[in-house]
Amino acid sequence: MPHFRFSLLKLLRSMKSNSRKKPGMRMVMRQQTTLKTALRQRVIVSSCIFSMVALAAFIYFNFTNKPKAAALPPDLIYGVGNGDGYAFSSFSTTTPLPIELLSFTANCNNGKVIINWSTASEKNNDFFTIERSQNGKNFNPLIKVPGAGNSSTINTYQIVDDNPIANVNYYRLKQTDYDGKFTYAPIKSASCDNHRSEEELKVESIGPNPFTENFTLNYTTINEGAVNIRILNAAGGIIKQEIVSAEKGFNTYFFNDNMNMAPGIYYVTIAHEGKVVTKKIIKQ
């Protein structure tokens, strides 16, 4: 019996001792949990800061320092083609433009249109072509003028349209490089108040078309007088020019190729008292 009491007393003392130690152990465990949580939060915050810095660097180097494309001068349109209307091509903004156009004007004077233009510089400039239209959309070559090639000085040019179209005339300046690339200046218009009938000069027929050695041009006028007939190549260069005397009514002009013209597209222009008619013809 005394031995049993001693064992029970020892058990109670052991339980009391353990109950005193447990709060301390719980305190240590809480401290370890709090430390782990703090370390985990620091890792999360560090990751967020690193991501924000990386995003800011990406935006700065890809947008802030992005080079700006060079703007083209408003008086020039750059393109590549064969001259049949506008034909545009992409190009590097670092490539110098062929000409620096200072001015391009078309003004009526005593029934004629005076066309002037000037350049501040030219690079590989082969020639200019003045094109004319009656509606501002469909242009035909009027005359070809040699360029200055390579020049860093001011060059001025002038041509006279002796036979402008009735009412409004539209003119387009085309510049062509040695390699065939070209530029267009903005279209200009001029009116000499030539309010004449559309039937004042009329081409009745032209043929054969295509032709091999010769063709016949039949036309009518309401007045007799001088008629200016020109043969132009596709680039606007004058192949042949002849002034003939026309009678009132029906007239015929016979063309014989004694110059061995190369096969291709040509234009026949006929002008009389301010009225001009242009027809396309093909040499085989």
Side-chain angles (χ1 to χ4, degrees):
M1 191 69 174
H3 177 73
F4 175 76
R5 288 180 180 177
F6 175 77
S7 298
L8 181 59
L9 181 59
K10 185 177 181 180
L11 178 62
L12 290 174
R13 287 177 179 175
S14 176
M15 292 177 61
K16 185 176 181 180
S17 175
N18 290 337
S19 65
R20 289 177 180 177
K21 292 179 181 181
K22 284 182 180 181
M25 295 177 61
R26 285 196 297 267
M27 182 66 68
V28 172
M29 293 178 65
R30 288 177 183 176
Q31 289 177 352
Q32 292 178 350
T33 302
T34 302
L35 180 59
K36 291 181 180 180
T37 302
L39 291 175
R40 189 178 295 110
Q41 290 175 350
R42 284 188 180 183
V43 172
I44 294 173
V45 171
S46 299
S47 299
C48 292
I49 293 175
F50 177 78
S51 299
M52 293 175 66
V53 171
L55 178 61
F58 175 80
I59 294 173
Y60 177 80
F61 286 106
N62 287 274
F63 294 93
T64 305
N65 292 336
K66 188 175 182 180
K68 296 181 179 179
L72 286 176
D75 286 342
L76 280 179
I77 302 173
Y78 192 78
V80 179
N82 57 9
D84 297 332
Y86 290 100
F88 301 97
S89 174
S90 60
F91 60 96
S92 172
T93 56
T94 59
T95 302
L97 290 173
I99 66 169
E100 183 181 351
L101 186 65
L102 294 177
S103 64
F104 173 50
T105 61
N107 299 292
C108 187
N109 184 14
N110 294 326
K112 301 178 181 181
V113 177
I114 312 299
I115 303 171
N116 294 280
W117 70 97
S118 62
T119 62
S121 63
E122 300 182 22
K123 181 177 178 61
N124 298 326
N125 181 24
D126 190 3
F127 61 88
F128 294 98
T129 305
I130 295 294
E131 301 176 344
R132 185 178 61 186
S133 170
Q134 191 172 7
N135 57 14
K137 297 180 180 179
N138 303 315
F139 285 84
N140 292 313
L142 186 64
I143 193 170
K144 177 180 174 181
V145 179
N150 293 286
S151 173
S152 58
T153 60
I154 294 178
N155 291 280
T156 59
Y157 303 86
Q158 182 184 91
I159 66 125
V160 179
D161 185 1
D162 295 321
N163 300 289
I165 303 171
N167 299 321
V168 181
N169 296 261
Y170 298 91
Y171 296 94
R172 189 168 67 178
L173 175 64
K174 176 183 177 182
Q175 176 274 327
T176 303
D177 290 351
Y178 291 119
D179 58 4
K181 295 180 181 179
F182 60 82
T183 60
Y184 279 122
I187 297 171
K188 302 296 181 180
S189 63
S191 175
C192 295
D193 296 325
N194 294 323
H195 301 292
R196 296 184 173 93
S197 169
E198 290 295 324
E199 299 299 317
E200 182 175 315
L201 176 64
K202 182 179 180 180
V203 173
E204 301 292 343
S205 64
I206 182 171
N209 191 9
F211 74 98
T212 54
E213 295 181 359
N214 53 66
F215 64 85
T216 301
L217 172 68
N218 296 314
Y219 63 96
T220 58
T221 64
I222 62 173
N223 295 315
E224 64 179 12
V227 173
N228 187 359
I229 298 176
R230 291 186 293 182
I231 312 298
L232 309 176
N233 59 25
I238 299 176
I239 303 300
K240 183 177 181 179
Q241 179 170 288
E242 187 175 359
I243 297 178
V244 299
S245 183
E247 297 180 352
K248 181 179 179 179
F250 187 86
N251 294 268
T252 298
Y253 173 77
F254 182 79
F255 174 78
N256 181 39
D257 180 20
N258 53 12
M259 300 169 291
N260 295 322
M261 295 164 53
I265 297 175
Y266 294 84
Y267 295 92
V268 179
T269 66
I270 176 171
H272 175 65
E273 294 185 350
K275 175 67 176 173
V276 179
V277 178
T278 302
K279 296 293 182 179
K280 182 171 72 173
I281 195 165
I282 300 174
K283 168 71 183 297
Q284 286 185 335

